[in-house]
């Protein structure tokens, strides 16, 4: 029976080609515009750490002075060096990592005349297992390497290929400025988006090429990048990185159970109270503990303009569907005589209704295919824009299927009233006029 409905629908669509083309274009334009923006929104709201994000938390403390204090205000986004080191060595989480962005001068084997700058990440040992960083060769360093300020490095596969012509570069010497480091690991392609672990680099920053032990990088005075918030008096030696009044270190902790989360939050409150008693903190305990997705939401990683454009695109799809309803209504009512003949020959209202919905589904399927092409073009246009997320505007398999499903479902929804109205026609009255 379904094949019979397909045959009837195909004949009907060919009978009035202009109206069929108009309906397909209406659906395609609405689907193309809406799926372009839905795909962009999907990319920007994606979980950068699937399966891990609910266990990774970003603690915040408030070590600032009382000037400008508001009870409901949020703590600084970063930590001071001392607080980050205190939390790190307290080992109250399953894993914990302190880090900061940096920039280093890479001197290739060809010599200093070919030196170039590369983005770096200074972090403690748990960074790699906590974030599930994949390795193509070797591994990360250990906590013992952190303590000894070891001159070891992990590099990205892209940099290994560029410097040594192979991703298997463990044991090679990496020269950064005037210092030599031993390569102990090469990271496979890894680029979580958004760049959740350090949003100060940009929500969709490119992945770092060089990773160094945090304390080693500070000892060798490697350049840091990112935000730095300072208050109070500046240190006499001018070293802002280890000043009590400068927050610039990102800190992440892994907590596997709700009990651990509650315990760590209590630990942060007690730590803040202790530091206030010691005179380091002036404000009452003011802490936050957000997981990855909560942290992204707090920082408004998805711009309001993208959300607005998505709503406008969905509104355009609704307008296209209303136009499709009108065209389907005209088309189905014009076929009143044909449908009445089918009813007179014994077809039930349900059969006629199903036939009309199959015809609408074919229109939706064709509109979905054309809409895919329009969405692909729309995403190409987005990738040409000077915005951070442009490079990520690609349609994945899930969105590909969602486009076709949305097109068919939207068209079927639009066809419900026209099909119901056509089935309400009285066959006897129409047959008399034929």
């Amino acid at each position: 029976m379904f094949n019979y409905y397909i045959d009837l629908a195909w004949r009907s669509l060919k009978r009035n080609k202009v109206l069929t083309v108009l309906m397909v274009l209406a659906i395609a334009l609405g689907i193309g515009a809406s799926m372009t923006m839905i795909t962009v929104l999907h990319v920007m709201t994606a979980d950068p750490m699937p399966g891990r994000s609910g266990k990774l938390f970003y603690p915040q403390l408030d070590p600032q002075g009382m000037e400008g204090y508001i009870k409901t205000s949020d703590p600084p986004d970063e930590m001071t060096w001392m607080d980050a080191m205190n939390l790190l060595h307290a080992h109250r989480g399953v894993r914990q990592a302190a880090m900061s962005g940096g920039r280093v001068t890479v001197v290739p084997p060809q010599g200093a005349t070919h030196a170039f700058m590369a983005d770096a990440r200074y972090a403690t040992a748990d960074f790699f297992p906590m974030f599930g960083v994949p390795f193509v060769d070797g591994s990360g360093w250990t906590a013992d390497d952190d303590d000894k300020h070891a001159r070891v490095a992990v590099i990205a596969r892209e940099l290994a290929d560029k410097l040594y012509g192979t991703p298997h570069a463990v044991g090679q010497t990496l020269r950064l400025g005037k210092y030599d480091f031993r390569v102990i690991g090469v990271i496979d392609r890894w680029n979580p988006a958004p760049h959740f672990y350090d949003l100060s680099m940009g929500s969709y920053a490119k992945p770092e090429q060089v990773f160094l032990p945090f304390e080693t990088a500070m000892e060798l005075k490697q350049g840091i990048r990112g935000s730095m918030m300072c208050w109070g008096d500046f240190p006499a030696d001018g070293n802002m990185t280890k000043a009590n009044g400068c927050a610039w270190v990102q800190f992440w902790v892994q907590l596997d159970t709700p009990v651990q989360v509650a315990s760590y939050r209590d630990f942060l409150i007690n730590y803040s109270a202790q530091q206030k008693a010691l005179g380091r903190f002036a404000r009452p305990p003011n802490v936050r503990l957000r997981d990855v997705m909560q942290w992204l939401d707090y920082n408004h990683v998805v711009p309001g303009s993208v959300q607005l454009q998505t709503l406008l695109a969905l509104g355009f799809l609704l307008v296209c569907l209303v136009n499709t309803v009108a065209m389907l209504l005209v088309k189905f009512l014009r076929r009143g005589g044909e449908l009445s003949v089918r009813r007179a020959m014994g077809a039930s209202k349900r059969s006629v209704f199903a036939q009309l919905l199959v015809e609408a589904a074919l229109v939706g399927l064709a509109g979905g295919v054309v809409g895919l092409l329009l969405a692909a073009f729309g995403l190409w246009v987005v990738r040409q824009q000077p915005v951070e997320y442009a490079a990520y505007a690609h349609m994945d398999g899930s969105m590909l299927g969602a486009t076709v499903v949305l097109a068919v479902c939207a068209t079927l929804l639009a066809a419900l009233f026209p099909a119901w109205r056509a089935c309400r026609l009285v066959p006897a009255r129409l047959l008399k006029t034929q």
Side-chain angles (χ1 to χ4, degrees):
M1 184 61 73
F2 183 73
N3 291 336
Y4 176 58
Y5 290 158
I6 291 287
D7 183 61
L8 289 177
W10 180 247
R11 290 172 184 272
S12 174
L13 293 174
K14 288 196 300 183
R15 196 176 305 137
N16 195 332
K17 297 179 181 178
V18 174
L19 189 58
T20 298
V21 170
L22 288 176
M23 289 190 293
V24 169
L25 285 178
I27 294 297
L29 288 172
I31 292 296
S34 59
M35 290 310 298
T36 296
M37 293 313 304
I38 289 175
T39 299
V40 171
L41 189 64
H42 170 70
V43 168
M44 298 185 71
T45 58
D47 186 346
M49 288 276 108
R52 293 176 181 266
S53 61
K55 298 179 180 180
L56 300 177
F57 291 83
Y58 192 82
Q60 290 172 268
L61 303 171
D62 197 348
Q64 301 175 86
M66 292 302 295
E67 184 178 355
Y69 171 66
I70 300 175
K71 188 176 181 179
T72 57
S73 62
D74 281 307
D77 286 352
E78 278 82 26
M79 288 189 185
T80 66
W81 170 268
M82 181 177 291
D83 290 325
M85 292 299 107
N86 286 343
L87 296 190
L88 181 73
H89 295 133
H91 298 292
R92 297 299 292 266
V94 178
R95 292 189 177 98
Q96 45 272 310
M99 68 193 76
S100 175
R103 196 157 177 82
V104 294
T105 302
V106 179
V107 181
Q110 295 89 335
T113 56
H114 294 82
F116 57 89
M117 301 297 293
D119 291 335
R121 171 76 22 193
Y122 312 138
T124 52
D126 277 351
F127 177 91
F128 303 103
M130 187 164 67
F131 293 147
V133 180
F135 281 82
V136 68
D137 192 25
S139 63
W141 55 83
T142 65
D144 190 50
D145 291 325
D146 279 332
D147 294 338
K148 293 179 179 179
H149 299 190
R151 296 191 183 185
V152 294
V154 169
I155 61 177
R157 180 173 188 161
E158 179 183 349
L159 183 61
D161 288 335
K162 182 176 181 179
L163 293 178
Y164 312 113
T166 175
H168 300 285
V170 169
Q172 297 281 358
T173 297
L174 174 68
R175 189 165 184 78
L176 301 177
K178 57 183 179 179
Y179 301 108
D180 287 335
F181 294 78
R182 178 170 55 87
V183 176
I184 61 170
V186 178
I187 291 177
D188 207 348
R189 292 177 177 85
W190 182 73
N191 186 20
H195 194 265
F196 72 97
Y197 55 87
D198 186 0
L199 294 175
S200 68
M201 294 290 100
S203 299
Y204 296 87
K206 294 180 179 179
E208 296 88 354
Q209 297 294 298
V210 178
F211 297 79
L212 301 177
F214 200 0
E215 294 192 72
T216 302
M218 294 301 98
E219 179 182 66
L220 301 180
K221 294 181 170 54
Q222 297 293 322
I224 62 171
R225 294 178 66 214
S227 63
M228 178 179 284
M229 177 181 179
C230 295
W231 58 90
D233 298 328
F234 292 113
D237 61 1
N239 184 4
M240 309 297 292
T241 57
K242 296 190 177 181
N244 285 332
C246 287
W248 57 280
V249 180
Q250 298 87 44
F251 190 89
W252 285 89
V253 60
Q254 178 180 330
L255 305 168
D256 290 343
T257 67
V259 172
Q260 291 177 355
V261 174
S263 176
Y264 200 87
R265 185 176 283 108
D266 290 340
F267 163 66
L268 292 177
I269 294 172
N270 293 333
Y271 173 81
S272 297
Q274 180 190 56
Q275 295 302 307
K276 179 175 172 58
L278 293 173
R280 281 195 63 237
F281 287 13
R283 300 183 178 186
N286 180 24
V287 305
R288 302 289 187 275
L289 188 62
R290 297 180 171 96
D291 66 24
V292 171
M293 300 308 292
Q294 291 169 340
W295 179 241
L296 295 177
D297 183 62
Y298 168 71
N299 282 278
H300 305 291
V301 169
V302 180
S305 60
V306 172
Q307 296 173 330
L308 178 60
Q309 290 169 20
T310 303
L311 290 176
L312 291 175
L314 290 173
F316 179 65
L317 173 61
L318 181 61
V319 171
C320 292
L321 289 179
V322 171
N323 288 330
T324 304
V325 169
M327 287 186 282
L328 286 172
L329 186 60
V330 170
K331 181 177 177 61
F332 291 167
L333 292 181
R334 279 182 179 178
R335 295 168 55 198
E338 172 196 333
L339 299 177
S340 296
V341 170
R342 282 206 67 209
R343 290 286 308 282
M345 295 178 66
S348 65
K349 284 185 180 181
R350 180 178 296 180
S351 297
V352 173
F353 189 75
Q355 172 194 337
L356 297 178
L357 289 186
V358 168
E359 185 173 330
L362 285 181
V363 173
L365 185 60
V369 172
V370 178
L372 271 177
L373 298 177
L374 293 177
F377 174 74
L379 291 172
W380 177 82
V381 172
V382 171
R383 289 196 294 274
Q384 311 311 308
Q385 304 304 308
V387 290
E388 281 187 320
Y389 57 84
Y392 299 92
H394 292 276
M395 187 172 291
D396 57 22
S398 63
M399 298 307 295
L400 189 71
T403 301
V404 177
V405 170
L406 177 62
V408 174
C409 291
T411 311
L412 286 175
L413 184 64
L416 288 177
F417 175 73
W420 174 82
R421 185 70 181 82
C423 290
R424 296 278 295 176
L425 296 174
V426 180
R429 186 181 302 169
L430 288 172
L431 288 174
K432 285 181 182 180
T433 63
Q434 297 301 312

